[in-house]
Structure formats: structure tokens, C-alpha cells
Amino acid sequence: MHEDHSERRAQDVSPNLIFDKEIASDLEKTFTLSGQSVWTPLANVNAVIRTLNTATDFGTPFIQGLPVLFTNPEAWGKGAALHYQAFFNPRVRYRYLAKNAEDINELIRHGGILGSPEFVEALADGGWFAALPVTIANSNLIPPPLKGVAAGVPLNIRRAGLRFTSSFETFLDVARIETWKALRTTARTPAQRNELANFVNQLTGVTSSRALGVPLSQRQFEAAIPFFAPRYTRAIAGLVLDTMRGGLRASNARNSIGRLLFGLGAVHVAGAQMLEQDIRLDPSKPGFLSIDIAGQRIGPGSKVVSFLKSFAKIVRASYEEPSKFLSWEIWDAEDFARNPWLPAIRNNSSPLMNNAFSFITDADPLGRDMPGLSDPVDLGKFLGSQSVPFWLNATIAAGGKGAGIAGAILAGGSEASGLSSYKIPASSALAVLRDKYSRERYGLSYEDLQRQKDFNGRAEKREMLATYPDLRAAQ
């Protein structure tokens, strides 16, 4: 017998390094198959929180599906219709898949993806909500009379969540398949069809990190620390970066991003003019593409928009005040907010990491003070708010801040339908009132009033303050 001293690459560790065959095998087994156990519990906790935050709403068409709306409205419309139907009847999805089996096989053959995205992975077979009832039933630490009640909580959450999962997956599958069918004739070679399949995946916010060669240990780390939804973030980042490439994939990416931004801008301008509000088309400033209704600021919730805002703020700071990039004191909320890189990192981080930032800086992402150990009631409320659906959290937050029933319903309904909603900041509320009364009284925006009247409109400003009590209160 001859000892095998051959060498090979451990592809999932590093395709550029050559190891002894046995070492390569051990490395792949460690990094690819088992990963790093230190990240597993954190990744599992984040998966549960992510599912609780996002899995019980109907926002898919206006979040993951927003780029599809302006790229292929017909595919979006068909997906949205079946999306709502599948909530009440999961067979809707199965019938659609069976009817389009040939197209699906072709899409998958070229790298297309169907099935569960990461937002609902905790509900899938083998996920935390599926495994916990079994763990409780087999536990010796829980008295038998309480096991049924304890196991019923995750069991019922999963049953309700699976309804939303069916709805969620239906939209994404239909959007991908219909977009593939619509663009298939533009891809004439197998290589181009591979590019098209990759574009269709990214357009709907999915990608396979494993297929891209990302080791399991890295995937676990990404889910535990830096990203709220690693595969979704990677897909949208890939779509944006593809606009700077060449080939069919780049052409489709530029077309989809361009249509998305133009379409959102047109909708925003129309809404702002109808409500006689300022047009907000500068992504580096607060309120980008949003309008104000009933004390709430409502806008699109797409990851593409989020990336654009972060990028614009970074670019603006680089030429207006580059010293902001020297602010790295993460334990100071004001210093943290000054550096545009830090909020961008925070906004994309995992739930545990985001909350860690909140306690480190003593301020939540909106700048509100964090409760401390000396206030256990408010601390408990905050922790509880992090594990409920975004729409419910928005409803409670709006109701608790005096927005009234209309404001609370608007906030919750906006989040549940895929829009972004938050209370208008005090400084913005003051600006809105100034502009409103300036237009009513003088027929000019507040900005034009200051520009056209003597002494920057000082007399007119005093007159408005004397006339409108709510304007005085907002000062």
C-alpha cells in the first residue's frame, strides 16, 4: 500500500490555495459541512427574530417585488394576485408550479431558484418553530401538564406563519417564472440564459450563497453578526453592482434599476403635488421619496432605496465634510450618527447586532434614548418590541405617541403592505407646518417666502406664529 501524498484545492475554503489531500478534506469538512458552532446559536436566534419581524404581513409585492413592478408590471400583477389567493388556499401555488413545470425546469437548469427565502426559514421543516414543540415534548424539565401549553405557542405561531409563507413564496416564484418567460427570447445562448437566470434571482432578492462558493462558516457568521438577511442583501447588492458590468445581465440590471428609480420618483412627485408637500428627490436628505400623512412619514421600503440613501449620504459627506469619516466612537450616539458608514452598517446588521448598537450608543436607530436596567418595565417593552412583526410594532409606537387611531392604523397598515412608516421628526413637523401656512397665507413655499420677502420674511414669520397656535407649539 502506498501512502497518498497527493494535493488538491479545498474549493469551499479557498480555491487559490493547494493543500495536502487529507488536510484539504478536513478543512472542507470543518468549514463547509459543520461550519463554526460558535455562530450557530446566534444565527438561529436571528432567524427566529427575523421570521417574527417579517413573516406575518403582505408586504412582499412592495418590498422584494418592487423592482419587478417597474421592470415587468404584468409579472408583478400576476404574482400579487396569486400572492393574496395563496394565503387562503396554498394549493394555488402548487397548481401554478404544475402548470409551468417545463419553464421551471429550464429556469432551474440555468441557475434559477425557487422555494423558501431566509425570511421564513425558522418556519420550515427543521427550523426552530418546527423543532421546539418536539424538544418541549421530550424535555424532562417541563412538568407534563404544562408541556401541551408550552409546545402550543411555537406550534400555533408556525401554523399561522406557514399561511404567510405560502403567500410569500407564491409571489416570488410567480414573479421569477413570469419574468424568465418574458425575457427568455433575449438570451440566445446557454451562457446568456445563465446570466438571465441570475438576473431573475437578484431582481426578486434571492441568491444561493452556497452555490456562489461561500463556506458554511462564513454563511453562519453573516447571519449571526453583519446582516439582517444575508442572501437578500447579497442579491440586491449584486443587482446594483451589475449595472457597472457588461453583457446581458448588466443591461437588464441597468434597465430594472433605472425604471425603479424613475417610477418611484414619478409616483412621489405626483403624490407630493397632490398633497401640496415638498418634493423630496435628494437621497442624501431625510424623507427621500416620502410623503407625510396623519403625523406619519410614508415611503417605499425597498432595499434598493436603502442602498441608494446610504450611498448618497456617504458621497455627500465625502465632499462636504470628510471629517465625519473620522467619527468612530460607536458608544456615542451623536458621534455614531455623524459617520455615514456606521448607520449604513447598522441598518443592514442582524437583529442581535442592531440591538447591541442600541445599547452601546444608548440610542435606537431613530435616535430615541434607550431604557436602562433602572427602568425594567420600559426595558421589557423595548425587548418585546424587537420580537413582534414590524407592522404591529409600528402600530403600537404610533398609538403610544399620540398619533390617534388614524395614525396608528396608517402606520401599521403601511408596514404590513410593504411601505416604510415612522413618526415625523419634530424638526420635520415644524418644517411641514411652516410650509403649509406659508402657502395658505402668502401663496409661497416657506423657502420662497424667505427668499422673496424683506429680511428673509421676518415679519411674515411673526405673523404666522401669532396666527397659528400649532405652529407656536412646534417651535
Side-chain angles (χ1 to χ4, degrees):
M1 300 233 2
H2 296 283
E3 190 175 356
D4 186 359
H5 292 290
S6 60
E7 298 175 330
R8 71 180 180 88
R9 290 179 173 86
Q11 293 288 344
D12 290 316
V13 180
S14 174
N16 298 316
L17 297 179
I18 299 177
F19 302 92
D20 176 87
K21 186 175 181 180
E22 290 186 4
I23 295 176
S25 179
D26 289 342
L27 285 172
E28 286 192 325
K29 186 180 296 183
T30 299
F31 286 93
T32 306
L33 300 179
S34 60
Q36 297 295 301
S37 58
V38 67
W39 303 124
T40 302
L42 297 177
N44 288 341
V45 170
N46 283 326
V48 170
I49 297 175
R50 183 171 58 235
T51 296
L52 291 172
N53 288 162
T54 65
T56 55
D57 61 42
F58 296 103
T60 313
F62 288 103
I63 301 177
Q64 290 86 353
L66 196 58
V68 182
L69 172 59
F70 295 99
T71 300
N72 189 337
E74 185 177 350
W76 185 90
K78 189 170 186 177
L82 295 179
H83 164 74
Y84 299 114
Q85 293 177 34
F87 177 79
F88 299 101
N89 182 9
R91 293 181 180 178
V92 167
R93 178 173 180 250
Y94 305 136
R95 286 198 295 265
Y96 175 84
L97 295 179
K99 184 178 178 181
N100 293 273
E102 187 175 337
D103 297 307
I104 292 170
N105 286 333
E106 183 184 26
L107 173 60
I108 293 175
R109 207 165 51 241
H110 288 281
I113 298 173
L114 294 181
S116 298
E118 60 204 315
F119 295 96
V120 293
E121 64 184 3
L123 296 169
D125 293 337
W128 192 82
F129 286 109
L132 189 57
V134 179
T135 303
I136 292 173
N138 296 332
S139 174
N140 295 322
L141 301 176
I142 302 176
L146 298 179
K147 285 186 176 181
V149 176
V153 174
L155 186 63
N156 288 322
I157 289 176
R158 183 171 186 251
R159 285 174 177 169
L162 286 176
R163 284 284 184 172
F164 287 98
T165 298
S166 174
S167 179
F168 190 94
E169 291 181 337
T170 297
F171 175 84
L172 295 178
D173 287 347
V174 173
R176 275 192 289 274
I177 294 163
E178 294 299 319
T179 301
W180 167 263
K181 288 160 62 176
L183 298 177
R184 182 171 45 195
T185 56
T186 65
R188 298 175 181 175
T189 66
Q192 287 182 331
R193 294 204 170 187
N194 292 342
E195 287 192 24
L196 178 59
N198 186 73
F199 164 73
V200 169
N201 289 339
Q202 293 177 342
L203 186 70
T204 50
V206 298
T207 188
S208 172
S209 298
R210 183 173 184 175
L212 292 173
V214 180
L216 177 58
S217 55
Q218 181 178 330
R219 301 200 301 270
Q220 290 173 327
F221 170 74
E222 289 175 349
I225 303 295
F227 297 121
F228 180 84
R231 298 196 297 275
Y232 177 50
T233 302
R234 181 175 278 114
I236 299 302
L239 180 67
V240 173
L241 292 175
D242 278 349
T243 60
M244 296 179 282
R245 293 164 51 99
L248 180 65
R249 190 166 73 184
S251 175
N252 284 327
R254 286 191 290 269
N255 182 52
S256 64
I257 296 294
R259 288 189 174 195
L260 171 64
L261 297 180
F262 180 82
L264 289 176
V267 171
H268 167 71
V269 169
Q273 288 185 335
M274 182 177 66
L275 297 174
E276 296 185 342
Q277 296 183 13
D278 288 336
I279 295 173
R280 303 171 181 139
L281 295 177
D282 185 346
S284 68
K285 294 183 179 179
F288 176 56
L289 294 178
S290 64
I291 57 175
D292 301 334
I293 305 175
Q296 296 294 307
R297 181 155 286 175
I298 312 295
S302 168
K303 178 65 74 175
V304 175
V305 175
S306 174
F307 279 168
L308 179 60
K309 290 194 292 186
S310 296
F311 178 73
K313 290 174 183 177
I314 290 169
V315 171
R316 184 171 184 171
S318 68
Y319 67 82
E320 282 191 355
E321 197 175 348
S323 61
K324 287 184 176 181
F325 296 107
L326 300 177
S327 300
W328 286 97
E329 296 184 19
I330 63 173
W331 52 87
D332 182 275
E334 291 185 8
D335 206 57
F336 188 100
R338 276 175 51 82
N339 187 337
W341 275 111
L342 294 178
I345 293 171
R346 179 181 189 166
N347 292 338
N348 287 286
S349 65
S350 68
L352 291 179
M353 190 63 184
N354 202 325
N355 285 323
F357 276 129
S358 296
F359 285 105
I360 290 171
T361 62
D362 198 31
D364 69 6
L366 296 179
R368 297 171 297 196
D369 292 338
M370 289 290 294
L373 295 176
S374 59
D375 192 355
V377 175
D378 282 348
L379 180 60
K381 289 180 180 179
F382 172 79
L383 294 176
S385 71
Q386 302 306 296
S387 57
V388 300
F390 287 143
W391 64 265
L392 180 58
N393 199 8
T395 304
I396 295 171
K401 294 184 183 302
I405 296 177
I409 293 175
L410 177 65
S414 297
E415 289 283 347
S417 60
L419 301 175
S420 169
S421 174
Y422 58 92
K423 185 177 183 294
I424 300 173
S427 57
S428 297
L430 176 60
V432 169
L433 288 175
R434 282 173 170 171
D435 196 69
K436 173 185 175 182
Y437 293 135
S438 178
R439 291 177 187 274
E440 285 183 4
R441 197 167 186 85
Y442 306 108
L444 297 169
S445 69
Y446 190 74
E447 184 178 347
D448 289 339
L449 178 74
Q450 296 179 92
R451 186 185 301 118
Q452 296 181 22
K453 297 296 183 179
D454 295 334
F455 301 104
N456 293 323
R458 186 178 301 172
E460 288 77 10
K461 292 176 187 176
R462 290 174 177 170
E463 190 176 48
M464 287 194 296
L465 283 173
T467 306
Y468 302 108
D470 53 345
L471 184 59
R472 290 197 303 276
Q475 285 279 77

